[in-house]
Amino acid sequence: VLTLLADAGKVVLVSADIRNIKFGNADDHFIINLTFENGTRASIGKSDICPISPSKNKWFIIGDNGSLTCEESGKLIAQNSKGKQKVLDKIIRPKNILKNFREAIQGKTELLVTGRQSLRTIQIFDAARKSAKKNGQTIRVTI
């Protein structure tokens, strides 16, 4: 989400609901809401306790002019506000992060995920945990 919304600026508000219901101390259900400097909002969620997936989408982005969805298969579908759909040619395949790390330290390629990107993600998770401990209270941040 942070990569997809890079032009939205810094995250300024975080609220979250994180639960440990089924698997002990593991976070098996969460919803994290982010608000960016320019007013863009994003909700990120995952649930390991729901027996039926509410959607066949791996992720989706909804905007006022259209949407973009990525199905579990990796197929991308763009749809504009008038309902016209287009299946995009690019299929998203997971990258081998460990192989990339090895090749990056060998000087063969650039890192897929940089230290700065990782730090920002960790800061978001820290703010989300603070919010969840306060029953979802919105936390002001500059991340």
Side-chain angles (χ1 to χ4, degrees), residues 81-110:
S81 58
K82 297 183 194 273
K84 183 177 178 184
Q85 285 190 353
K86 179 178 181 181
V87 176
L88 304 177
D89 293 333
K90 183 176 179 182
I91 301 294
I92 294 177
R93 304 252 186 249
K95 300 282 184 182
N96 185 326
I97 298 293
L98 294 177
K99 179 182 176 189
N100 171 256
F101 181 74
R102 182 180 67 246
E103 291 177 354
I105 61 175
Q106 293 171 342
K108 296 178 181 177
T109 189
E110 297 293 318

Tab-separated table of all heavy atoms in Angstrom, residues 81-110:
chain	number	residue	atom	x	y	z
A	81	SER	N	-15.144	4.545	-13.776
A	81	SER	CA	-16.373	4.890	-13.070
A	81	SER	C	-17.632	4.634	-13.893
A	81	SER	O	-18.726	4.599	-13.358
A	81	SER	CB	-16.325	6.352	-12.618
A	81	SER	OG	-16.143	7.193	-13.736
A	82	LYS	N	-17.479	4.421	-15.201
A	82	LYS	CA	-18.641	4.112	-16.047
A	82	LYS	C	-18.873	2.611	-16.180
A	82	LYS	O	-19.770	2.169	-16.881
A	82	LYS	CB	-18.453	4.742	-17.421
A	82	LYS	CG	-18.391	6.261	-17.369
A	82	LYS	CD	-18.277	6.852	-18.747
A	82	LYS	CE	-17.899	8.270	-18.710
A	82	LYS	NZ	-18.699	9.314	-18.609
A	83	GLY	N	-18.025	1.818	-15.527
A	83	GLY	CA	-18.199	0.367	-15.533
A	83	GLY	C	-17.408	-0.368	-16.600
A	83	GLY	O	-17.465	-1.593	-16.683
A	84	LYS	N	-16.653	0.362	-17.437
A	84	LYS	CA	-15.863	-0.300	-18.480
A	84	LYS	C	-14.651	-0.973	-17.842
A	84	LYS	O	-13.896	-0.348	-17.100
A	84	LYS	CB	-15.405	0.715	-19.521
A	84	LYS	CG	-14.648	0.089	-20.667
A	84	LYS	CD	-14.258	1.112	-21.720
A	84	LYS	CE	-13.467	0.436	-22.819
A	84	LYS	NZ	-12.977	1.378	-23.805
A	85	GLN	N	-14.480	-2.267	-18.137
A	85	GLN	CA	-13.375	-3.044	-17.567
A	85	GLN	C	-12.306	-3.337	-18.599
A	85	GLN	O	-12.592	-3.468	-19.780
A	85	GLN	CB	-13.870	-4.384	-17.016
A	85	GLN	CG	-14.609	-4.290	-15.741
A	85	GLN	CD	-14.843	-5.670	-15.134
A	85	GLN	OE1	-14.565	-6.702	-15.728
A	85	GLN	NE2	-15.363	-5.678	-13.923
A	86	LYS	N	-11.084	-3.485	-18.097
A	86	LYS	CA	-9.971	-3.895	-18.935
A	86	LYS	C	-9.092	-4.817	-18.107
A	86	LYS	O	-8.699	-4.483	-16.993
A	86	LYS	CB	-9.160	-2.686	-19.403
A	86	LYS	CG	-7.969	-3.066	-20.261
A	86	LYS	CD	-7.214	-1.850	-20.754
A	86	LYS	CE	-6.047	-2.289	-21.621
A	86	LYS	NZ	-5.284	-1.171	-22.110
A	87	VAL	N	-8.822	-5.991	-18.665
A	87	VAL	CA	-7.886	-6.908	-18.021
A	87	VAL	C	-6.494	-6.493	-18.470
A	87	VAL	O	-6.224	-6.393	-19.669
A	87	VAL	CB	-8.178	-8.374	-18.408
A	87	VAL	CG1	-7.135	-9.307	-17.803
A	87	VAL	CG2	-9.583	-8.769	-17.962
A	88	LEU	N	-5.632	-6.211	-17.511
A	88	LEU	CA	-4.293	-5.750	-17.832
A	88	LEU	C	-3.394	-6.941	-18.143
A	88	LEU	O	-3.563	-8.028	-17.593
A	88	LEU	CB	-3.725	-4.932	-16.675
A	88	LEU	CG	-4.604	-3.737	-16.267
A	88	LEU	CD1	-4.011	-3.024	-15.081
A	88	LEU	CD2	-4.781	-2.768	-17.421
A	89	ASP	N	-2.448	-6.716	-19.035
A	89	ASP	CA	-1.570	-7.794	-19.486
A	89	ASP	C	-0.641	-8.294	-18.394
A	89	ASP	O	-0.289	-9.462	-18.363
A	89	ASP	CB	-0.718	-7.331	-20.676
A	89	ASP	CG	-1.571	-7.079	-21.903
A	89	ASP	OD1	-2.636	-7.698	-22.026
A	89	ASP	OD2	-1.166	-6.254	-22.736
A	90	LYS	N	-0.237	-7.409	-17.517
A	90	LYS	CA	0.754	-7.794	-16.519
A	90	LYS	C	0.126	-8.695	-15.460
A	90	LYS	O	-0.867	-8.353	-14.850
A	90	LYS	CB	1.350	-6.559	-15.852
A	90	LYS	CG	2.427	-6.902	-14.870
A	90	LYS	CD	3.077	-5.675	-14.299
A	90	LYS	CE	4.140	-6.097	-13.307
A	90	LYS	NZ	4.774	-5.014	-12.672
A	91	ILE	N	0.735	-9.828	-15.248
A	91	ILE	CA	0.340	-10.734	-14.181
A	91	ILE	C	1.358	-10.579	-13.065
A	91	ILE	O	2.563	-10.667	-13.284
A	91	ILE	CB	0.301	-12.210	-14.669
A	91	ILE	CG1	-0.674	-12.370	-15.824
A	91	ILE	CG2	-0.018	-13.148	-13.531
A	91	ILE	CD1	-2.123	-12.145	-15.478
A	92	ILE	N	0.879	-10.350	-11.864
A	92	ILE	CA	1.775	-10.167	-10.729
A	92	ILE	C	2.195	-11.535	-10.200
A	92	ILE	O	1.367	-12.374	-9.912
A	92	ILE	CB	1.087	-9.364	-9.616
A	92	ILE	CG1	0.817	-7.953	-10.114
A	92	ILE	CG2	1.937	-9.351	-8.348
A	92	ILE	CD1	0.092	-7.094	-9.131
A	93	ARG	N	3.461	-11.735	-10.117
A	93	ARG	CA	4.025	-12.964	-9.559
A	93	ARG	C	4.900	-12.566	-8.375
A	93	ARG	O	5.656	-11.595	-8.456
A	93	ARG	CB	4.884	-13.684	-10.594
A	93	ARG	CG	4.131	-13.988	-11.866
A	93	ARG	CD	3.841	-15.466	-11.969
A	93	ARG	NE	3.251	-15.757	-13.259
A	93	ARG	CZ	1.996	-16.131	-13.408
A	93	ARG	NH1	1.216	-16.264	-12.394
A	93	ARG	NH2	1.520	-16.378	-14.612
A	94	PRO	N	4.818	-13.300	-7.291
A	94	PRO	CA	5.686	-12.960	-6.156
A	94	PRO	C	7.159	-13.099	-6.527
A	94	PRO	O	7.534	-13.993	-7.267
A	94	PRO	CB	5.307	-13.977	-5.087
A	94	PRO	CG	4.245	-14.834	-5.646
A	94	PRO	CD	3.985	-14.432	-7.058
A	95	LYS	N	7.947	-12.191	-6.034
A	95	LYS	CA	9.388	-12.235	-6.267
A	95	LYS	C	10.034	-13.066	-5.163
A	95	LYS	O	9.532	-13.143	-4.052
A	95	LYS	CB	9.980	-10.820	-6.238
A	95	LYS	CG	9.411	-9.892	-7.266
A	95	LYS	CD	10.004	-10.155	-8.614
A	95	LYS	CE	9.483	-9.128	-9.602
A	95	LYS	NZ	9.953	-9.309	-10.917
A	96	ASN	N	11.143	-13.664	-5.471
A	96	ASN	CA	11.888	-14.408	-4.476
A	96	ASN	C	12.752	-13.414	-3.715
A	96	ASN	O	13.816	-13.008	-4.181
A	96	ASN	CB	12.737	-15.488	-5.137
A	96	ASN	CG	13.435	-16.359	-4.143
A	96	ASN	OD1	13.846	-15.914	-3.072
A	96	ASN	ND2	13.590	-17.620	-4.490
A	97	ILE	N	12.290	-13.009	-2.518
A	97	ILE	CA	12.967	-11.981	-1.734
A	97	ILE	C	14.367	-12.434	-1.310
A	97	ILE	O	15.315	-11.657	-1.359
A	97	ILE	CB	12.120	-11.606	-0.497
A	97	ILE	CG1	10.774	-11.017	-0.924
A	97	ILE	CG2	12.868	-10.651	0.416
A	97	ILE	CD1	10.844	-9.687	-1.621
A	98	LEU	N	14.504	-13.689	-0.903
A	98	LEU	CA	15.821	-14.170	-0.468
A	98	LEU	C	16.817	-14.196	-1.624
A	98	LEU	O	17.979	-13.803	-1.461
A	98	LEU	CB	15.706	-15.549	0.171
A	98	LEU	CG	14.930	-15.588	1.496
A	98	LEU	CD1	14.815	-17.022	1.996
A	98	LEU	CD2	15.578	-14.706	2.531
A	99	LYS	N	16.360	-14.639	-2.789
A	99	LYS	CA	17.236	-14.639	-3.968
A	99	LYS	C	17.635	-13.204	-4.312
A	99	LYS	O	18.798	-12.928	-4.602
A	99	LYS	CB	16.533	-15.301	-5.150
A	99	LYS	CG	17.372	-15.309	-6.411
A	99	LYS	CD	16.619	-15.940	-7.566
A	99	LYS	CE	17.431	-15.855	-8.843
A	99	LYS	NZ	16.668	-16.266	-10.014
A	100	ASN	N	16.667	-12.288	-4.246
A	100	ASN	CA	16.960	-10.889	-4.534
A	100	ASN	C	17.975	-10.333	-3.543
A	100	ASN	O	18.901	-9.620	-3.931
A	100	ASN	CB	15.670	-10.058	-4.504
A	100	ASN	CG	15.960	-8.577	-4.574
A	100	ASN	OD1	15.877	-7.878	-3.562
A	100	ASN	ND2	16.323	-8.098	-5.739
A	101	PHE	N	17.812	-10.651	-2.257
A	101	PHE	CA	18.749	-10.160	-1.242
A	101	PHE	C	20.160	-10.672	-1.522
A	101	PHE	O	21.128	-9.909	-1.495
A	101	PHE	CB	18.285	-10.588	0.153
A	101	PHE	CG	19.185	-10.109	1.251
A	101	PHE	CD1	19.186	-8.782	1.630
A	101	PHE	CD2	20.037	-10.982	1.891
A	101	PHE	CE1	20.022	-8.329	2.635
A	101	PHE	CE2	20.880	-10.544	2.900
A	101	PHE	CZ	20.867	-9.211	3.276
A	102	ARG	N	20.278	-11.960	-1.828
A	102	ARG	CA	21.587	-12.549	-2.139
A	102	ARG	C	22.223	-11.856	-3.341
A	102	ARG	O	23.388	-11.458	-3.310
A	102	ARG	CB	21.445	-14.055	-2.404
A	102	ARG	CG	22.775	-14.754	-2.680
A	102	ARG	CD	22.627	-16.254	-2.938
A	102	ARG	NE	21.915	-16.510	-4.187
A	102	ARG	CZ	20.716	-17.086	-4.266
A	102	ARG	NH1	20.090	-17.498	-3.196
A	102	ARG	NH2	20.143	-17.268	-5.433
A	103	GLU	N	21.439	-11.667	-4.401
A	103	GLU	CA	21.971	-11.024	-5.601
A	103	GLU	C	22.303	-9.557	-5.358
A	103	GLU	O	23.250	-9.024	-5.942
A	103	GLU	CB	20.992	-11.194	-6.756
A	103	GLU	CG	20.910	-12.639	-7.239
A	103	GLU	CD	19.881	-12.840	-8.340
A	103	GLU	OE1	19.128	-11.899	-8.677
A	103	GLU	OE2	19.830	-13.977	-8.868
A	104	ALA	N	21.550	-8.902	-4.479
A	104	ALA	CA	21.828	-7.491	-4.177
A	104	ALA	C	23.141	-7.346	-3.414
A	104	ALA	O	23.938	-6.454	-3.716
A	104	ALA	CB	20.676	-6.886	-3.382
A	105	ILE	N	23.396	-8.224	-2.453
A	105	ILE	CA	24.659	-8.100	-1.720
A	105	ILE	C	25.845	-8.550	-2.560
A	105	ILE	O	26.984	-8.181	-2.274
A	105	ILE	CB	24.629	-8.825	-0.350
A	105	ILE	CG1	24.387	-10.318	-0.511
A	105	ILE	CG2	23.608	-8.203	0.570
A	105	ILE	CD1	24.475	-11.091	0.793
A	106	GLN	N	25.564	-9.294	-3.628
A	106	GLN	CA	26.618	-9.659	-4.578
A	106	GLN	C	26.826	-8.566	-5.621
A	106	GLN	O	27.704	-8.674	-6.473
A	106	GLN	CB	26.273	-10.977	-5.279
A	106	GLN	CG	26.287	-12.181	-4.360
A	106	GLN	CD	25.734	-13.434	-5.021
A	106	GLN	OE1	25.033	-13.383	-6.043
A	106	GLN	NE2	26.034	-14.576	-4.423
A	107	GLY	N	26.001	-7.513	-5.565
A	107	GLY	CA	26.128	-6.403	-6.496
A	107	GLY	C	25.507	-6.664	-7.856
A	107	GLY	O	25.745	-5.917	-8.800
A	108	LYS	N	24.668	-7.685	-7.976
A	108	LYS	CA	24.070	-8.038	-9.269
A	108	LYS	C	22.762	-7.313	-9.558
A	108	LYS	O	22.346	-7.240	-10.706
A	108	LYS	CB	23.816	-9.544	-9.328
A	108	LYS	CG	25.075	-10.390	-9.270
A	108	LYS	CD	24.718	-11.863	-9.297
A	108	LYS	CE	25.951	-12.743	-9.206
A	108	LYS	NZ	25.591	-14.171	-9.153
A	109	THR	N	22.093	-6.822	-8.523
A	109	THR	CA	20.792	-6.186	-8.713
A	109	THR	C	20.515	-5.231	-7.563
A	109	THR	O	21.269	-5.169	-6.590
A	109	THR	CB	19.668	-7.242	-8.822
A	109	THR	OG1	18.466	-6.611	-9.212
A	109	THR	CG2	19.452	-7.978	-7.504
A	110	GLU	N	19.417	-4.493	-7.660
A	110	GLU	CA	18.964	-3.612	-6.587
A	110	GLU	C	17.990	-4.382	-5.696
A	110	GLU	O	17.318	-5.302	-6.149
A	110	GLU	CB	18.253	-2.384	-7.170
A	110	GLU	CG	19.144	-1.501	-8.019
A	110	GLU	CD	20.230	-0.824	-7.204
A	110	GLU	OE1	19.937	-0.350	-6.083
A	110	GLU	OE2	21.383	-0.783	-7.678
